[in-house]
Amino acid sequence: MKQNKRSVAYFSMEYGLAPEMRIYAGGLGILAGDILKGARDQGFPLVGVGILWRQGYTKQVIDDEGRPVDCYPRNDYIYEHVEDTGVEVTVEVKEEEVSCRVWRLDKYDNAPLYLLDANVEGNSNRWITGQLYGWFEEERVAQEIVLGIGGVKALRELGLEPDIYHFNEGHAVLAVTEMIKEKVDRGKSFNEALKSTRDEIVFTTHTPVKQGNEVHAHKLLRYIGAYNHLTREQMKTIGGDPFNMTAAGLRVSRVSNGVSRLHAKTARRMWEDVDQRSEIKAITNGIHRKTWVDKDVRQGRDDVEEIWRTHRRLKKRLIDYVAREKGVEFDEEKLLIGFARRAVPYKRAGLIFSQEERIRPYLEEGRLQIVFSGKAHPLDDVGKGIITKLVRKSEEYPDAVTFLEDYGMETGKLLTQGSDVWLNNPRKPMEASGTSGMKAAMNGVLNLSVLDGWWPEACQHGENGWAIGSGYTGEGQDEHDANSLYDVLLNQVMPTYYEDKGKWKEMMAESVKSTYDQFSVKSLLKEYYRELYAY
Ligand SMILES: *Cc1c(COP(=O)(O)O)cnc(C)c1O
């Protein structure tokens, strides 16, 4: 059976495979890492293509004034984790040749990941793979040339001719120029080449915000070398004018997907004007359980008391970590809420403080404890301001509120395994999927979340977690959601936790049970093969 599976090359700018492999930034990369692990577990013929970043995403710490400060430790150690394939490919950036060495990484029980690296002796452009999402537009395009065009060349040199090229977001879309060029070199016309290339490409879109999607001027693309022998008219056919990476992904793919049912709906509406775009299916993300769900929960998930015992241990581990890192002593007996997100306004990290008087007494008594974490984009002062506000709250309530620095796989795991409640309150419909909520749910950490992203597909209010609000999205949404948050937290979550432990434990077990299979990366891959890869 498995031999008949389509072979797939999965392209992603970032991969979250292990905390020490700092070649990821957030959810997009975590998904990619989980997919490689899931593919390996199941023996699927899938390989990853990515970049070996010399510096990963920001390591963000808080200074004495409560402001986030970015630093970029060099990933020199990273070479200890990868093997040299002996393959080197060349791409052209600003009419200069750039050599890229190809490394192989498979030590995290993952399907083989091929990583391109421009940090090669003799390259004048060694900076290109210097920093994940670093610097500005020109550098980004150069990185995308390496990932897309270099990625296809690397596959060829490695002797790989996959059936399917899956682009995780628009970053790899320039691969299409190389795939077309190969066919044109063999005598096909551009139109024929585009048509048969389209049969090979699958595209996943993530960003439900139009401004969050990447757009480049043609002048810039041509000057940097992204045209790769295609003409301006041909590039316009693919990406429009200006060149939109997401629209291009939708046009050059046979089929595409959004990352939850709700997000697919949003994406269809968002991109309805894109002519000749592929169908956007809904395939909800999933997580790699062995990575994110504690072993004792996995093994004891049919036993309510075992889940509870394990949870107590994981909560203690989180509390100990907080004590070590922040010098704050949380109380194991008291309710602990976890919240970790990118710091952007629509995630509304401060919603729980929007009518502060309603929760102040509980914070002062310590009946409510909150651990926040998250990073702001290094160039985003608004996002940094959000973090500073959270840090201020931790100073106001030193025994009940804290902020953990440098949110990453390690802190993510501690939080989604050790909190009692996982709070998620973005402004709808902005959350694409929200895999952290899945991690929490499968560890018996109860979701308290607006009905956005994946949560409408899983939420049974009062049984496996709670919904905030009714899904209302009109004027006054913030106030509507805040009122609902306080109402559910104070009248349902807290009374259940403090007065009805039996019910609480049953909800935890139900949370694990109701999400365990449906939101695993194993199910995700099954759907990818059925809905995206089969033809
Ligand atoms: C799981 C995870 C994410 C994705 O979480 P969202 O729910 O999409 O916010 C992001 N960053 C880290 C470090 C994670 O572990």
Side-chain angles (χ1 to χ4, degrees):
M1 269 303 283
K2 277 174 189 162
Q3 285 71 10
N4 296 331
K5 289 263 181 220
R6 302 269 163 199
S7 58
V8 180
Y10 186 85
F11 285 66
S12 180
M13 198 75 148
E14 42 165 319
Y15 288 88
L17 284 162
E20 71 270 20
M21 282 299 287
R22 292 183 75 106
I23 54 169
Y24 71 94
L28 183 84
I30 304 285
L31 175 72
D34 280 6
I35 283 173
L36 293 192
K37 290 175 186 170
R40 163 76 176 266
D41 290 346
Q42 304 202 60
F44 291 158
L46 182 146
V47 302
V49 177
I51 290 179
L52 190 81
W53 298 105
R54 194 158 168 78
Q55 295 174 324
Y57 196 54
T58 172
K59 182 178 170 80
Q60 199 166 70
V61 295
I62 307 297
D63 72 7
D64 293 342
E65 325 266 81
R67 285 176 310 220
V69 178
D70 298 292
C71 47
Y72 299 90
R74 260 169 56 167
N75 284 346
D76 292 337
Y77 61 86
I78 220 164
Y79 291 102
E80 293 163 22
H81 300 284
V82 294
E83 286 164 51
D84 193 349
T85 62
V87 165
E88 214 167 278
V89 295
T90 306
V91 295
E92 242 179 66
V93 172
K94 295 191 207 168
E95 299 192 349
E96 264 187 67
E97 295 214 327
V98 178
S99 302
C100 300
R101 186 161 294 147
V102 183
W103 303 90
R104 179 182 158 117
L105 174 65
D106 57 9
K107 66 177 281 190
Y108 298 106
D109 288 331
N110 57 289
L113 171 57
Y114 296 103
L115 295 167
L116 286 92
D117 175 16
N119 182 26
V120 170
E121 200 80 35
N123 263 350
S124 53
N125 288 306
R126 289 167 82 151
W127 51 266
I128 293 176
T129 55
Q131 193 182 99
L132 172 58
Y133 301 130
W135 311 305
F136 301 97
E137 191 178 2
E138 285 195 13
E139 291 84 1
R140 173 67 66 84
V141 173
Q143 294 167 344
E144 289 169 341
I145 289 175
V146 169
L147 178 67
I149 300 172
V152 171
K153 290 183 170 183
L155 291 170
R156 298 298 174 265
E157 287 298 313
L158 292 160
L160 297 173
E161 295 271 353
D163 301 313
I164 302 285
Y165 298 73
H166 186 160
F167 303 158
N168 185 32
E169 203 40 287
H171 307 121
V173 93
L174 296 174
V176 80
T177 64
E178 185 63 19
M179 293 166 74
I180 289 172
K181 182 171 170 291
E182 288 178 333
K183 296 178 181 88
V184 168
D185 286 348
R186 277 186 250 122
K188 284 201 177 168
S189 71
F190 170 78
N191 283 331
E192 290 166 344
L194 175 58
K195 191 161 173 294
S196 63
T197 297
R198 191 178 277 140
D199 281 338
E200 303 170 305
I201 293 176
V202 163
F203 178 63
T204 298
T205 177
H206 291 258
T207 316
V209 191
K210 206 133 200 185
Q211 299 81 334
N213 288 274
E214 225 182 293
V215 175
H216 301 292
H218 278 274
K219 203 167 136 187
L220 178 96
L221 288 181
R222 177 153 62 187
Y223 149 72
I224 298 183
Y227 277 16
N228 193 19
H229 302 282
L230 298 194
T231 67
R232 186 188 165 90
E233 281 314 305
Q234 291 166 345
M235 286 297 275
K236 271 163 71 174
T237 305
I238 292 169
D241 187 7
F243 192 94
N244 183 308
M245 302 292 277
T246 308
L250 293 167
R251 281 202 195 93
V252 301
S253 53
R254 196 166 48 80
V255 57
S256 49
N257 79 295
V259 291
S260 68
R261 281 182 216 157
L262 202 58
H263 170 243
K265 237 193 238 174
T266 307
R268 283 174 207 133
R269 210 170 34 239
M270 213 166 109
W271 302 108
E272 66 190 350
D273 296 339
V274 175
D275 54 307
Q276 311 221 350
R277 71 160 168 80
S278 56
E279 179 193 353
I280 302 175
K281 293 192 175 185
I283 301 184
T284 305
N285 284 164
I287 60 163
H288 186 250
R289 290 189 301 236
K290 240 196 277 172
T291 301
W292 298 108
V293 185
D294 184 82
K295 189 160 172 255
D296 291 341
V297 178
R298 277 185 275 133
Q299 288 174 354
R301 65 182 190 280
D302 297 326
D303 178 349
V304 175
E305 290 306 321
E306 176 63 19
I307 293 175
W308 177 247
R309 250 195 318 278
T310 305
H311 173 67
R312 302 270 308 172
R313 173 174 64 73
L314 296 169
K315 183 173 178 181
K316 171 121 186 12
R317 190 180 64 177
L318 172 61
I319 287 175
D320 288 347
Y321 182 85
V322 167
R324 253 193 338 271
E325 291 292 313
K326 309 301 292 186
V328 177
E329 301 285 342
F330 276 10
D331 186 337
E332 285 169 58
E333 304 305 323
K334 302 289 164 60
L335 184 71
L336 195 160
I337 295 180
F339 182 106
R341 302 274 145 184
R342 273 185 307 123
V344 285
Y346 78 80
K347 302 271 191 187
R348 300 189 297 190
L351 193 70
I352 195 166
F353 295 112
S354 61
Q355 299 166 31
E356 198 167 336
E357 66 286 356
R358 295 178 74 170
I359 54 160
R360 184 176 294 127
Y362 305 101
L363 292 170
E364 285 174 346
E365 287 163 27
R367 277 165 74 82
L368 195 57
Q369 314 173 100
I370 315 176
V371 184
F372 286 100
S373 192
K375 283 180 187 173
H377 187 279
L379 301 175
D380 177 12
D381 288 332
V382 175
K384 290 189 171 176
I386 292 171
I387 291 182
T388 301
K389 276 199 192 137
L390 295 176
V391 174
R392 295 274 176 270
K393 289 297 165 204
S394 73
E395 291 160 358
E396 268 177 62
Y397 304 101
D399 301 319
V401 178
T402 193
F403 183 87
L404 285 181
E405 291 162 52
D406 199 37
Y407 177 50
M409 285 183 80
E410 193 185 2
T411 38
K413 192 162 154 177
L414 285 164
L415 280 164
T416 53
Q417 294 188 341
S419 304
D420 293 311
V421 168
W422 192 245
L423 177 64
N424 175 45
N425 50 30
R427 198 172 291 131
K428 201 181 162 188
M430 310 284 268
E431 181 78 335
S433 186
T435 52
S436 61
M438 300 173 188
K439 298 168 194 166
M442 285 185 211
N443 280 291
V445 172
L446 299 177
N447 276 270
L448 170 59
S449 168
V450 298
L451 288 165
D452 202 5
W454 77 293
W455 189 228
E457 297 168 42
C459 175
Q460 300 157 262
H461 182 82
E463 286 174 40
N464 66 353
W466 298 271
I468 299 170
S470 55
Y472 171 73
T473 55
E475 199 172 321
Q477 190 192 339
D478 289 356
E479 203 184 342
H480 167 95
D481 288 344
N483 282 329
S484 172
L485 166 58
Y486 292 119
D487 178 41
V488 178
L489 177 63
L490 303 179
N491 299 319
Q492 299 184 52
V493 179
M494 292 185 63
T496 310
Y497 181 82
Y498 285 110
E499 290 151 37
D500 194 351
K501 272 292 175 343
K503 165 101 189 288
W504 187 275
K505 293 181 198 173
E506 271 167 37
M507 286 185 72
M508 288 178 69
E510 188 55 31
S511 168
V512 178
K513 186 167 163 230
S514 60
T515 55
Y516 199 78
D517 289 321
Q518 193 181 345
F519 300 102
S520 69
V521 82
K522 184 174 171 183
S523 303
L524 172 86
L525 280 166
K526 202 163 134 191
E527 275 199 75
Y528 275 7
Y529 272 95
R530 194 178 60 220
E531 302 288 330
L532 304 180
Y533 301 160
Y535 59 87

